[in-house]
Amino acid sequence: MPSSAPVAAADGRLLDIRDLRVEYLTPRGPVVAVDGVSFSIAPGEVFGLAGESGCGKSTIAHAILRTLRPPAVITGGEVLFRGRDALDLEGAELEAFRWKDVSMVFQSALNSLNPVMRVSDQIADVLIRHEGVSRQAAHARAGELLDTVGIARNRLHAFPHELSGGMRQRVVIAIALALRPPLMIMDEPTTALDVVVQKDILQQIGDLKAEMGFSILFITHDLSLMVEFSDRIGVMYAGKL
Ligand code: ADP
Ligand code: MG
């Protein structure tokens, strides 16, 4: 069993968000973007977060990972991960939480690869930096990870611009999987792709999840995709769930 096999808190929850509140302090006054939201995710579960554009989905994702930028402020609530409040983490603990406990595939994932670095180096760097493995071992793992997400190993040394949009998105998912985090947050992970590629990638993520046992917070405004892919769904409207 991998060392990061999902372990839940004593109450059986991996992630437990309680009464989360986030405001954007704009010059025209505070805007409440997340207004007392609570939900939990069990190990191995896909929790779908749906709702129209602007209702606060991405703000929740960034609040969990603590990647919100000013003028956003978390004004209340708890983000319990295995029973511990992630809002209290700092320094090395926060860094470990962001990479090893939770990984994120952003809405803009297609642009989140470094255009001047080979795909192999981008994956290997994550492994070298966070697991301290040798460059050689990291490259071997990078090849395995690309296999896992359905990319032929002969593309290992490609640059991002040499790959299709769907392949680039698979690379981003491979990077998110590299450290075997028990929770993946996917914010509109396939929105920029055509429908056939979308289904194919989600199918593959579903297979990987079944094999590795991680949980997913799956964010999309596409309800039919969400229903197909999620175990449970929360629908947001104007900051409330
Ligand atoms: P979603 O991901 O559901 O489309 P977001 O979480 O991105 O929604 O945004 C939720 C709300 O937060 C928006 O409707 C907007 O009012 C507010 N908001 C988001 N980003 C900012 C910002 N940088 N400054 C001010 N308000 C913001
Ligand atoms: Mg969003």
Side-chain angles (χ1 to χ4, degrees):
M1 216 186 223
S3 58
S4 56
V7 176
D11 59 6
R13 293 161 179 186
L14 183 67
L15 182 75
D16 191 9
I17 294 183
R18 295 188 184 166
D19 207 18
L20 182 66
R21 218 179 141 83
V22 183
E23 298 179 21
Y24 288 90
L25 305 178
T26 72
R28 279 160 284 117
V31 173
V32 181
V34 179
D35 190 4
V37 166
S38 303
F39 63 89
S40 64
I41 306 182
E45 184 177 44
V46 180
F47 184 82
L49 198 54
E52 64 182 26
S53 179
C55 68
K57 305 181 299 294
S58 295
T59 303
I60 290 179
H62 287 288
I64 295 170
L65 268 187
R66 301 266 309 278
T67 50
L68 282 172
R69 303 213 177 287
V73 190
I74 297 173
T75 52
E78 291 171 307
V79 175
L80 302 175
F81 185 83
R82 292 176 174 154
R84 195 158 168 218
D85 194 350
L87 300 184
D88 294 336
L89 300 177
E90 282 176 48
E93 282 190 324
L94 179 59
E95 187 69 6
F97 172 73
R98 278 187 188 145
W99 282 92
K100 298 201 165 197
D101 291 337
V102 186
S103 67
M104 178 128 167
V105 177
F106 286 99
Q107 195 160 9
S108 57
L110 288 181
N111 302 319
S112 69
L113 293 170
N114 184 336
V116 298
M117 254 176 101
R118 294 179 194 279
V119 160
S120 51
D121 291 328
Q122 298 195 44
I123 301 175
D125 269 13
V126 171
L127 293 163
I128 293 166
R129 193 151 23 103
H130 296 279
E131 290 193 341
V133 299
S134 70
R135 181 152 290 276
Q136 195 182 4
H139 274 270
R141 271 281 286 149
E144 286 166 20
L145 280 160
L146 285 187
D147 258 357
T148 304
V149 296
I151 296 183
R153 283 198 195 204
N154 63 7
R155 307 317 312 273
L156 190 57
H157 299 298
F159 287 98
H161 72 266
E162 296 172 313
L163 303 174
S164 68
M167 286 170 86
R168 284 198 293 259
Q169 188 67 339
R170 287 171 194 272
V171 172
V172 170
I173 292 164
I175 293 172
L177 288 170
L179 303 175
R180 300 176 177 271
L183 176 65
M184 277 179 53
I185 299 176
M186 311 190 117
D187 188 356
E188 310 270 2
T190 60
T191 301
L193 304 172
D194 72 60
V195 176
V196 177
V197 177
Q198 261 185 23
K199 295 245 154 153
D200 197 34
I201 289 182
L202 287 179
Q203 171 77 49
Q204 193 141 24
I205 294 170
D207 293 347
L208 290 171
K209 185 195 79 92
E211 194 185 309
M212 299 181 177
F214 52 84
S215 308
I216 302 175
L217 173 57
F218 179 56
I219 297 174
T220 182
H221 63 274
D222 183 333
L223 266 176
S224 69
L225 208 60
M226 170 143 297
V227 167
E228 203 172 317
F229 193 60
S230 306
D231 298 313
R232 266 184 324 133
I233 291 174
V235 181
M236 286 190 72
Y237 181 77
K240 290 190 196 298
L241 190 72

